[in-house]
Amino acid sequence: MAHADAAGGLPSAQAASAGGWVCFEDEAGAWLSGPVRRTWGKAGQAPVLRLSGKRSDRTSMVAWICFKEGAEPRMIYAVKPTGGYTEKDFPRLPAVLHHRLDGPATLIWDNCSSHISKHVKQHAQRQDWLTTIQLPSCAPELNPVELLSAHAKEKTANPAFRSTSELHRAVKRALRCIQRHPELLTAFLAGTGLELTPPASSP
């Protein structure tokens, strides 16, 4: 990848040509009182969005954007109807990734406590198909899933969700829509400035 130290110092050739998938991961939340964006309204009348007011009620999502040389980019996701993800979820979540991919994977994620806990690290080390790499601290701009999450939230902006079930369905629709457009996944990667092709060697 470009930026030699972007993935914990892993050389670009090692990440891109290890014969498996390079997968970026991140989690995000969507709240009942979700993002409000500019919208249409009658001339002279400000549009009114009526929300439930239950801001603490949320749906959580986790997504992986996966790249492999010679293959179309893939997006894999999971949605938790209520609450957030904790370290107890992470032995199960990499299993979802393994089930959906047909080979070894290098998983690149941030330094949140659920990713770097002793419990999660020990589990990852026991998986012969999995290599995990931490992004630098405070560097969300290097994770294309951050851009994916922002795009998904744009698709769920403004509606007044009446329940977490309704919000859950809307989040899944937004993620499925993105999943059907692999060119978006490539654009999210481009937005980070990272490249999966190793730089040309000097003569």
Side-chain angles (χ1 to χ4, degrees), residues 1-10 24 108-109 133-136 139 142 194:
M1 291 177 291
H3 307 299
D5 61 348
L10 185 76
F24 294 86
I108 302 172
W109 53 11
I133 297 171
Q134 266 68 49
L135 286 164
L142 295 178
L194 297 174

Side-chain angles (χ1 to χ4, degrees), residues 33 41 46 60 72 74 84 104 106 111 115 117-118 141 152 175 178:
S33 52
S60 294
E72 189 173 72
R74 295 180 62 181
T106 298
N111 289 279
H115 298 165
S117 72
K118 182 178 179 181
E141 70 278 4
L175 292 173
I178 297 171

Side-chain angles (χ1 to χ4, degrees):
M1 291 177 291
H3 307 299
D5 61 348
L10 185 76
S12 57
Q14 182 180 345
S17 63
W21 292 88
V22 176
C23 305
F24 294 86
E25 188 264 14
D26 197 31
E27 308 92 53
W31 282 261
L32 281 179
S33 52
V36 177
R37 299 291 186 262
R38 181 177 296 181
T39 187
W40 295 98
K42 292 183 179 180
Q45 297 183 24
V48 176
L49 300 175
R50 299 186 183 278
L51 304 175
S52 71
K54 297 180 179 179
R55 177 168 173 76
S56 60
D57 290 347
R58 66 169 175 168
T59 287
S60 294
M61 51 186 166
V62 57
W64 298 267
I65 300 180
C66 306
F67 302 93
K68 183 179 181 181
E69 186 176 0
E72 189 173 72
R74 295 180 62 181
M75 170 189 163
I76 299 169
Y77 69 87
V79 180
K80 193 173 187 178
T82 58
Y85 290 103
T86 69
E87 70 172 41
K88 294 181 180 179
D89 295 293
F90 282 93
R92 177 179 58 85
L93 292 176
V96 172
L97 188 65
H98 190 206
H99 177 72
R100 298 288 300 277
L101 298 178
D102 56 355
T106 298
L107 177 60
I108 302 172
W109 53 11
D110 62 25
N111 289 279
C112 84
S113 58
S114 296
H115 298 165
I116 62 176
S117 72
K118 182 178 179 181
H119 170 69
V120 171
K121 284 187 173 181
Q122 288 178 342
H123 175 79
Q125 288 170 356
R126 292 194 294 268
Q127 314 307 310
D128 59 3
W129 62 274
L130 179 64
T131 300
T132 60
I133 297 171
Q134 266 68 49
L135 286 164
S137 299
C138 303
E141 70 278 4
L142 295 178
N143 193 338
V145 186
E146 292 277 356
L147 298 174
L148 183 156
S149 297
H151 194 75
K153 289 179 181 179
E154 286 292 327
K155 289 183 172 294
T156 59
N158 293 341
F161 298 111
R162 294 165 292 184
S163 66
T164 51
S165 296
E166 189 173 315
L167 174 62
H168 178 239
R169 291 192 294 271
V171 168
K172 290 185 73 173
R173 283 196 301 271
L175 292 173
R176 281 197 297 267
C177 180
I178 297 171
Q179 191 180 46
R180 290 194 293 267
H181 294 278
E183 70 278 4
L184 275 177
L185 308 181
T186 302
F188 296 147
L189 179 66
T192 67
L194 297 174
E195 298 178 1
L196 292 177
T197 54
S201 58
S202 301

